[in-house]
Amino acid sequence: MDLNLLHTFMKVHELGSYTKAGEFFQISQAAVSMRIKQLEQELGQSLFIRKGRSIEATAHANYMMSKLEPAANLVSEALFKTHHKIYAPDLLVYELAKLDVDIAIPPVEQQAIFTDIRHRKVDLVLDFVTINDASVISERVSEEAVMVAVRAGHPRIASQISEAEFYQERHVAFNVTRDKADMFTWLSDAPKQRDITHHASSLVSMLAYVAHTDAIAIAPKRLAGIAAKLGVELLECPMKMKLAPISMLYHRSFLNNNEHKQLRERIKAQLK
């Protein structure tokens, strides 16, 4: 079947007029009528009946329209809607969930992230990474303060923690993708050796481990809401810590793409 016939049928049904449908397609009213007659012959069903100078859809035409319209919307979405895929750490996933995008946790290996950007397998990456590559744009979008994560009711730590107490406890580490360093080592001016009891695969799993043990961890302040729900308190760090920079990375070919620009602005607005 010629899909143009169905397209014409749907427009006639929508406008209730052969003449208006002809104006839409920039063809004559007679050409529209011929298409509808051809479709009726192929279906063996009447689709429109004359009522004076107007037309009225038959019950079969209304049934067809109820099935064709959702299908047409799906086809239009598949062909013309831009659907974006981004990488973002779980630190940001919950805030970005409101956006109409596919969000995945970044690959563990930093090189895999850059490869996916270069091969356009991902539209945009948010992570604790930077890159010196002419084909990749890197923008700093956030600087996250970090705190000490401690479970509520910890037997030795209350509302504050000293540097000596910090190093006496067991720790949960989260490795950032940059240089394969854990977050504390990466951000501390003068890190000392710690007793690391567990390496977490994500920031939220790190908090979950803290919630069920006496181990402590370094966690971004942005996770305070999730930490509270898990029964974890965030305390001020007893030593000086740098801010954790989060960068937005994407292929240079997207720099002036309007759809991509809108995506970047929506993400920046959501993270403020």
Side-chain angles (χ1 to χ4, degrees), residues 18 60 65 68 96-97 117 119 145 164 176 187-188 225 229 266:
Y18 288 173
H60 187 74
M65 192 66 180
L68 288 172
L96 299 177
I117 292 175
H119 293 172
V176 292
L187 298 177
S188 174
K229 291 179 181 179
R266 288 163 58 205

Side-chain angles (χ1 to χ4, degrees), residues 50-264:
R50 289 281 183 184
K51 295 197 77 174
R53 293 187 176 182
S54 62
I55 59 172
E56 186 175 291
T58 64
H60 187 74
N62 289 333
Y63 172 78
M64 282 179 56
M65 192 66 180
S66 70
K67 300 297 182 182
L68 288 172
E69 190 170 27
N73 290 338
L74 287 174
V75 170
S76 178
E77 182 175 331
L79 292 176
F80 302 112
K81 183 178 179 180
T82 302
H83 197 70
H84 298 287
K85 179 179 179 179
I86 70 174
Y87 288 156
D90 54 352
L91 168 68
L92 305 176
V93 163
Y94 305 100
E95 295 185 47
L96 299 177
K98 299 175 183 178
L99 304 180
D100 185 20
V101 295
D102 288 336
I103 307 175
I105 300 298
V108 174
E109 293 296 327
Q110 182 168 294
Q111 192 56 47
I113 296 175
F114 301 150
T115 298
D116 287 351
I117 292 175
R118 295 188 190 101
H119 293 172
R120 321 297 202 282
K121 290 184 178 180
V122 63
D123 296 293
L124 183 147
V125 174
L126 293 163
D127 207 357
F128 303 105
V129 295
T130 57
I131 184 173
N132 185 16
D133 188 311
S135 68
V136 178
I137 302 292
S138 177
E139 297 181 35
R140 183 72 55 83
V141 293
S142 177
E143 290 186 324
E144 303 292 327
V146 294
M147 305 183 76
V148 180
V150 180
R151 75 172 176 87
H154 194 284
R156 292 174 296 279
I157 303 170
S159 59
Q160 59 184 14
I161 183 173
S162 68
E163 183 172 350
E165 289 171 331
F166 178 86
Y167 283 108
Q168 287 170 2
E169 296 295 332
R170 292 180 303 151
H171 291 249
V172 187
F174 169 69
N175 289 344
V176 292
T177 50
R178 177 191 281 187
D179 301 326
K180 297 184 179 180
D182 72 87
M183 181 166 282
F184 175 74
T185 303
W186 179 41
L187 298 177
S188 174
D189 285 335
K192 300 177 184 178
Q193 186 173 353
R194 293 163 297 147
D195 178 9
I196 297 177
T197 185
H198 178 66
H199 287 271
S201 59
S202 70
L203 289 165
V204 173
S205 67
M206 179 186 72
L207 291 178
Y209 192 96
V210 169
H212 291 87
T213 68
D214 289 341
I216 65 175
I218 291 293
K221 187 176 181 179
R222 188 184 286 268
L223 287 174
I226 294 175
K229 291 179 181 179
L230 292 172
V232 174
E233 298 177 350
L234 296 187
L235 310 179
E236 292 294 331
C237 287
M239 67 287 291
K240 185 177 180 181
M241 300 289 289
K242 296 188 287 286
L243 297 176
I246 295 180
S247 296
M248 175 186 288
L249 300 97
Y250 52 92
H251 197 273
R252 185 171 293 277
S253 62
F254 291 132
L255 181 60
N256 297 313
N257 180 287
N258 287 330
E259 287 275 358
H260 202 275
K261 282 183 181 178
Q262 293 175 18
L263 172 67
R264 300 195 303 263

